[in-house]
Amino acid sequence: MIFEKIDRIRDFVREKKGQGKTVGFVPTMGYLHRGHAALAERARRECGTVVASIFVNPLQFGPREDYAEYPRDFDRDCRMLEECRVDALFHPPVEEMYPGGFCTHVEVEGLTGCLCGKSRPGHFRGVATVVTKLFNIVQPDRAYFGQKDAQQALVIKRMVEDLNMPVEIVTVPTVREEDGLAMSSRNVYLTPEQRAEAPVLYESLKEAARAVSGGERDARTLAGMVRERLSGLKGAGIDYVEIRSLPDLKEVERLDSPALLALAVRFGKTRLIDNIVLEV
Ligand code: AMP
């Protein structure tokens, strides 16, 4: 069932909750792939009712980012959600989410000043605001987010805790192509040459993880290894390679507890992110 109106999806969820069902929620921007499917399948296993949303949120794109070109294929997305046995899809038009006069935003401080927050000012404010709205609309018991966007998942967890939102956040492991490239709706932007080079991102992360298994604990050395490996890429620029503490994303010098190694690389105008948790 597809709902475009806030009141209608609310009615749907109210009815399901009245039947005693737990509601799982999978927010997305569409152009779905197996990464999104993994979230929906996990929700299907854990919840009586599964609601997904497709909404390309203008608030989380910067003025020079790809909001207008963001890939869309609604019919294919619907088929995929049906295959995952999602019960309802919330697909609001922009005016339904942001009517004239809209002026309230949610700001998660601290966690959003580094990594993607640094190169995409305002991005996490847009994410936190839309996720708050979606949570208020759908009122799920659980919501599912991908580890691929590790900082996003941490920001949402922090927000839910700080604002006492009655929803459990579940993080689902990153789904990858066979060659290791993290699945992303933006992978379609890559030229064949860029696509052929892109698996180096994950290879460089795994190399650092192997070094940690081998005893290396110095964060600067580990990040340096990744940068070195990425510097071999033709036509790609490093946005950041950083090791940060979990879950508060503080700078780390020596690894004495599990830490996040995260990177963002630009291939032309396509920006790809990936990460790995370094276990010590
Ligand atoms: P998006 O449509 O890019 O906003 O992503 C919607 C949700 O799917 C977010 O929670 C993402 O972290 C998650 N997601 C995107 N790509 C992957 C992936 N390759 N593996 C797991 N989750 C993903």
Side-chain angles (χ1 to χ4, degrees), residues 8-248:
R8 297 287 84 76
I9 185 74
R10 278 213 168 120
D11 291 344
F12 173 86
V13 171
R14 194 176 299 122
E15 190 190 323
K16 296 297 172 188
K17 285 196 167 175
Q19 295 165 3
K21 298 209 162 128
T22 56
V23 175
F25 179 44
V26 181
T28 82
M29 298 204 299
Y31 210 71
L32 305 179
H33 49 66
R34 283 196 287 112
H36 299 109
L39 307 192
E41 284 158 6
R42 175 87 177 262
R44 182 72 286 166
R45 286 198 298 277
E46 296 179 353
C47 306
T49 297
V50 179
V51 177
S53 65
I54 294 180
F55 180 62
V56 184
N57 173 35
L59 233 53
Q60 71 191 67
F61 289 79
R64 280 176 297 279
E65 292 186 353
D66 56 344
Y67 174 66
E69 303 98 70
Y70 196 82
R72 292 162 167 90
D73 188 341
F74 188 65
D75 293 341
R76 192 169 64 94
D77 288 350
C78 288
R79 287 198 295 277
M80 196 149 168
L81 292 173
E82 257 175 44
E83 278 168 25
C84 297
R85 295 185 300 123
V86 164
D87 299 299
L89 170 61
F90 181 48
H91 178 56
V94 173
E95 320 78 73
E96 182 76 2
M97 293 294 277
Y98 302 117
F102 182 89
C103 59
T104 304
H105 297 85
V106 179
E107 187 93 56
V108 180
E109 294 171 356
L111 279 180
T112 57
C114 62
L115 307 178
C116 288
K118 204 165 175 183
S119 35
R120 303 186 71 189
H123 171 68
F124 287 114
R125 180 187 198 242
V127 170
T129 302
V130 79
V131 171
T132 298
K133 284 174 67 73
L134 290 168
F135 284 180
N136 283 336
I137 292 164
V138 175
Q139 303 197 9
D141 299 291
R142 293 195 195 97
Y144 295 80
F145 290 84
Q147 174 65 20
K148 199 215 133 212
D149 299 275
Q151 187 177 16
Q152 169 172 278
L154 292 168
V155 166
I156 299 300
K157 277 191 179 156
R158 187 76 243 175
M159 176 185 84
V160 160
E161 193 175 323
D162 288 353
L163 299 183
N164 310 96
M165 296 180 176
V167 51
E168 180 194 338
I169 304 301
V170 180
T171 308
V172 177
T174 303
V175 177
R176 300 177 180 281
E177 302 283 358
E178 262 177 30
D179 59 13
L181 175 64
M183 291 206 167
S184 164
S185 307
R186 290 190 168 99
N187 289 349
V188 291
Y189 295 148
L190 298 172
T191 65
E193 294 75 28
Q194 292 167 339
R195 176 64 188 82
E197 284 200 302
V200 175
L201 272 54
Y202 187 48
E203 282 162 23
S204 70
L205 295 173
K206 282 193 299 187
E207 195 178 310
R210 278 196 299 274
V212 174
S213 307
E216 182 58 65
R217 292 289 182 272
D218 185 67
R220 195 186 297 238
T221 306
L222 290 160
M225 285 174 50
V226 175
R227 274 200 202 94
E228 172 79 27
R229 185 80 192 271
L230 297 177
S231 66
L233 290 170
K234 289 189 290 292
I238 297 175
D239 183 349
Y240 64 76
V241 175
E242 284 193 50
I243 297 179
R244 294 261 167 180
S245 65
L246 288 169
D248 45 7

